Amino acid sequence: MKLQYLATLSAVVARGNLTAAAEQVNLTRSAVSLQMKQLEAWFGQPLFDRSGRNVKPTAFAREVVRTVDRSMAELEALRRHTDSAPAGRVRLGITDSAQTTLLPLAFTDLLRRAPKVELHIERGSTPLLLDALKAGRIDVAVLIRPPTGGSRRLLWTELLDEEMVLVVPRSLRPAPPAQILREQPWIRFDRELVAGRMAAQYVEKRVPHCHALVEIAGIDAIVALVGAGVGVSVLPRLRPEHLQAHAVREIALGPDAPIRRMAMVRRKADGDHRLLDLVESAFQEAAGKLRNGAGRAW
């Protein structure tokens, strides 16, 4: 009998049915049903009354859940009240965009709360980081969540939403974004990147068959080209240093603007991991500061 089966039973009793419990524990309904049958075989008695139209937990099932919940609470209290400071190595994968926005704030917070935690940082694009995470080469990643939502086999924590904008030379006369894209050379953000694909889809939907002058992966290089008057580009909202160093400005794309969603992701097998919990908490705190304007990075 596996301990996670007891957690699933707790979810079934709390949510009232198998379907809702399956959503809570990220399993299929059939997998939840199988776990319940295996628990019944292990306990040697039924956990549910199946005589009516709705399956109801038995008094014994509720007693099991009370015992499990009480035990888990006591174990969690022991884990959180240990006198020793958390220590160990965490292999963190991170995209370039998160390195310059979230990482400085999160790293500072982590050093204050857990100075013995050692971060080993690996840069990479979202697809490469996801591959490294699934292969076990890194423990956790901060990246751009694919618009389709990302694999449900992983644990996702939303961090920050960044609206994309049209970046144009500061001297360009005002005009609607679609008109500017028709009249000005388009510098395309690399489509190998999640944000690049989102930007390209936006442009191609509003200006079909729009020809790209060049395709570049680095935001710094694109902003420099736009500032030099070479063209325009759809990018995530710029950082202050971009706006200060180059003769560019941003034009809002309106309610249909693509949204780049920064998220933290880890393996479900590592769902209860104290060091990863600390790192995740530090990045959530950093994201909150950026949303509220404290330490704003763009």
Side-chain angles (χ1 to χ4, degrees):
M1 193 272 294
K2 296 182 179 180
L3 287 177
Q4 58 260 43
Y5 291 6
L6 295 173
T8 303
L9 173 62
S10 181
V12 173
V13 172
R15 300 298 295 273
N17 61 75
L18 298 182
T19 302
E23 292 178 356
Q24 179 176 323
V25 298
N26 291 305
L27 292 173
T28 63
R29 189 183 187 281
S30 59
V32 170
S33 179
L34 178 60
Q35 287 187 13
M36 296 304 96
K37 290 177 181 178
Q38 291 174 335
L39 275 180
E40 288 178 321
W42 191 80
F43 281 115
Q45 60 179 296
L47 295 171
F48 300 94
D49 179 0
R50 299 179 174 88
S51 60
R53 293 184 60 184
N54 296 320
V55 175
K56 297 181 178 180
T58 63
F60 177 72
R62 295 186 183 279
E63 181 60 30
V64 170
V65 168
R66 282 193 292 270
T67 301
V68 169
D69 289 348
R70 184 168 58 249
S71 299
M72 292 305 295
E74 292 172 355
L75 288 172
E76 179 66 12
L78 287 174
R79 183 176 77 93
R80 291 188 179 277
H81 289 88
T82 179
D83 291 333
S84 60
R89 184 183 72 162
V90 174
R91 299 169 298 172
L92 170 71
I94 192 164
T95 61
D96 286 342
S97 54
Q99 274 196 310
T100 54
T101 53
L102 289 170
L103 182 60
L105 292 172
F107 196 70
T108 301
D109 184 53
L110 190 62
L111 284 175
R112 175 180 57 82
R113 293 164 53 190
K116 295 183 180 180
V117 174
E118 181 182 355
L119 281 186
H120 284 228
I121 297 174
E122 178 178 327
R123 290 175 51 193
S125 65
T126 289
L128 292 177
L129 293 177
L130 283 175
D131 287 344
L133 182 66
K134 293 173 183 177
R137 295 192 298 273
I138 58 176
D139 303 307
V140 63
V142 178
L143 42 70
I144 307 305
R145 184 163 187 172
T148 53
S151 173
R152 295 189 65 183
R153 294 176 297 171
L154 301 171
L155 291 174
W156 295 83
T157 299
E158 302 296 334
L159 295 175
L160 199 63
D161 285 357
E162 298 176 305
E163 182 179 304
M164 302 188 79
V165 296
L166 181 63
V167 181
V168 304
R170 194 177 297 160
S171 59
L172 190 69
R173 62 180 177 81
Q179 179 181 337
I180 292 175
L181 286 164
R182 283 193 295 268
E183 295 176 351
Q184 300 294 323
W186 173 32
I187 302 172
R188 185 165 55 203
F189 195 18
D190 188 357
R191 289 168 295 176
E192 290 295 318
L193 305 174
V194 173
R197 290 195 296 274
M198 293 168 62
Q201 290 167 1
Y202 173 87
V203 172
E204 290 162 5
K205 181 177 181 180
R206 282 148 186 81
V207 186
H209 312 298
C210 185
H211 173 70
L213 176 68
V214 65
E215 183 167 353
I216 299 177
I219 290 180
D220 290 350
I222 293 176
V223 174
L225 288 174
V226 173
V230 174
V232 301
S233 187
V234 174
L235 296 171
R237 189 170 292 279
L238 300 181
R239 303 192 302 275
E241 53 265 37
H242 284 140
L243 296 170
Q244 295 164 4
H246 303 281
V248 299
R249 61 185 174 89
E250 300 171 340
I251 296 177
L253 297 176
D256 295 330
I259 302 294
R260 181 172 75 167
R261 290 191 159 87
M262 205 169 289
M264 174 164 276
V265 59
R266 55 206 263 197
R267 293 179 292 273
K268 283 189 175 179
D270 297 329
D272 186 20
H273 191 299
R274 190 180 183 196
L275 291 183
L276 298 188
D277 289 346
L278 283 169
V279 173
E280 181 178 292
S281 176
F283 274 92
Q284 287 179 305
E285 185 76 17
K289 290 178 180 178
L290 289 178
R291 284 194 298 270
N292 295 327
R296 196 169 183 83
W298 69 86

